[in-house]
Amino acid sequence: MELYPLKFQPIFKERLWGGNKLRTVLEKEADGDTVGESWELSGVPGDATTLVNGPYAGKTLPELIGEFPGEVLGNEVLERFGEEFPILIKFIDARLDLSIQLHPGDELARTRHNSFGKTEMWYILDADPGAELIVGFREDVSRERYQQALEGGTLTDLLHYQPVSTGDAFFINSGKIHAIGGGILLAEIQQSSDVTYRVYDFNRRDAQGKLRELHTDLALDAIDYRRRDDFVLDYSRQPNTSNSLARSPYFNTDYLKLDRDRDLQFDGKSFTVFMCLSGTATLVAGGVAEEFRAGETLMLPAAVHKARLATNGCELLQVTA
């Protein structure tokens, strides 16, 4: 395999709650004022991102993995997850509140949907004054109390509301009830799954005037009904070094704030993804230099063992499986 920084064409998703910050803030070529998601790196069937640079341009991510599985993913990732790309990388713009929802864990998702579960993390890129997330319950609740509140229209009274600002980061375990509030632009790293159980949608209607589907019965066995204060990610912002942000069985994320060039070394166990949060940088590997800026994402195959980030100032998330 020829080794170089891989750049993929994002897939834009229109959403009822979407806005225009992907275009106005991140300067993406996203038409329309209700684009809610930019899928940066995806192997999801039917929504696989396509490589746009270098000798493999035109291949989808799954096609590239199929041709060079160990070189792209890393042998350890290949052993754990097979040839299915294990994570999904997005930028999300919520002009309006998202539905209140949750995601099943691995076992339930595998049994019901033949899918990975969905554990995810968020990094807040921009937030309007007063913007909030819903993350979990205010206190432990029983299944019966939850059902009563849902049926009685008082579910929101049971939920925890979390104010946010730029630079905040959160870890959302599968089973945790949650919603991204209106006015928030964020980077999302998640297991490669598009399985969502929507339990409350504020009685909104889609473009055809229809209420969106709810999954209240499916959600009952997937919800974690306990209050858990485990979602705020406290992390260091030391410049010009890797700061551990999130660790999980599914993905590991570091935060980098650089004001000068940085040499990188990798152990070959996993691919590496860089999401640019602010500024610009050039990633150099295999003799190829690829520039990227805020709102763009690059991936290094696992077979790359050395690279260099050249920058006068940037913030990045560095992600491995």
Side-chain angles (χ1 to χ4, degrees):
M1 181 184 183
E2 295 191 42
L3 303 176
Y4 61 97
L6 306 176
K7 188 172 187 177
F8 292 81
Q9 177 64 45
I11 298 171
F12 299 120
K13 298 283 188 176
E14 294 273 347
R15 298 292 189 238
L16 177 68
W17 41 262
N20 60 20
K21 287 185 179 179
L22 293 173
R23 183 178 74 247
T24 61
V25 177
L26 296 184
E27 299 182 355
K28 289 184 168 292
E29 297 178 357
D31 295 330
D33 291 324
T34 57
V35 181
E37 301 184 10
S38 175
W39 289 27
E40 300 287 298
L41 201 56
S42 167
V44 174
D47 280 307
T49 46
T50 300
L51 191 62
V52 296
N53 69 333
Y56 306 119
K59 292 183 182 292
T60 65
L61 179 56
E63 287 170 346
L64 193 65
I65 292 170
E67 193 168 343
F68 307 106
E71 293 94 328
V72 174
L73 294 175
N75 288 330
E76 288 198 7
V77 173
L78 194 60
E79 290 174 6
R80 291 164 58 207
F81 301 109
E83 293 189 11
E84 186 173 354
F85 193 65
I87 61 174
L88 176 57
I89 302 289
K90 301 178 182 178
F91 289 107
I92 294 179
D93 171 25
R95 178 179 55 91
L96 304 173
D97 295 343
L98 272 67
S99 62
I100 297 172
Q101 58 189 247
L102 61 133
H103 310 293
D106 288 337
E107 184 175 349
L108 201 57
R110 187 180 303 110
T111 300
R112 289 179 173 176
H113 311 286
N114 192 29
S115 169
F116 289 131
K118 187 173 175 182
T119 292
E120 59 194 330
M121 67 155 289
W122 300 328
Y123 181 95
I124 308 299
L125 290 167
D126 185 69
D128 293 348
E132 296 178 314
L133 302 171
I134 289 174
V135 190
F137 294 103
R138 296 173 59 186
E139 59 188 28
D140 290 355
V141 299
S142 65
R143 177 169 169 154
E144 292 72 27
R145 186 181 177 196
Y146 163 80
Q147 288 181 281
Q148 290 171 359
L150 189 62
E151 293 166 3
T154 60
L155 175 62
T156 54
D157 294 341
L158 300 182
L159 305 177
H160 170 76
Y161 289 80
Q162 177 74 29
V164 299
S165 58
T166 301
D168 291 346
F170 303 92
F171 191 85
I172 311 298
N173 289 301
S174 60
K176 187 183 294 293
I177 199 165
H178 64 272
I180 300 171
I184 295 175
L185 176 69
L186 57 78
E188 179 177 270
I189 299 151
Q190 58 159 93
Q191 288 178 268
S192 182
S193 169
D194 203 26
V195 179
T196 294
Y197 294 161
R198 187 185 300 125
V199 298
Y200 183 67
D201 196 34
F202 308 99
N203 296 315
R204 291 183 293 196
R205 297 181 182 273
D206 62 19
Q208 286 72 45
K210 298 179 181 179
L211 294 170
R212 293 200 296 171
E213 182 183 6
L214 300 179
H215 312 94
T216 50
D217 291 338
L218 286 173
L220 290 174
D221 293 330
I223 295 175
D224 184 348
Y225 295 99
R226 295 166 291 181
R227 171 193 168 94
R228 288 176 175 266
D229 295 325
D230 59 353
F231 51 85
V232 176
L233 291 170
D234 292 321
Y235 65 101
S236 171
R237 289 175 164 267
Q238 290 295 313
N240 302 308
T241 189
S242 294
N243 299 278
S244 178
L245 179 56
R247 293 290 180 269
S248 80
Y250 312 108
F251 54 80
N252 299 305
T253 305
D254 290 339
Y255 168 83
L256 290 83
K257 184 174 184 178
L258 307 178
D259 58 26
R260 59 174 182 261
D261 295 357
R262 178 175 172 81
D263 290 320
L264 305 168
Q265 292 189 339
F266 309 98
D267 59 14
K269 295 179 180 179
S270 169
F271 58 87
T272 304
V273 177
F274 293 94
M275 302 182 77
C276 190
L277 309 174
S278 70
T280 60
T282 299
L283 183 59
V284 184
V288 177
E290 189 69 46
E291 185 179 57
F292 64 134
R293 56 172 173 76
E296 294 187 324
T297 303
L298 293 178
M299 174 181 165
L300 284 179
V304 173
H305 293 290
K306 292 183 179 180
R308 184 174 182 83
L309 280 166
T311 184
N312 291 321
C314 67
E315 291 177 280
L316 306 170
L317 297 182
Q318 179 176 332
V319 186
T320 58

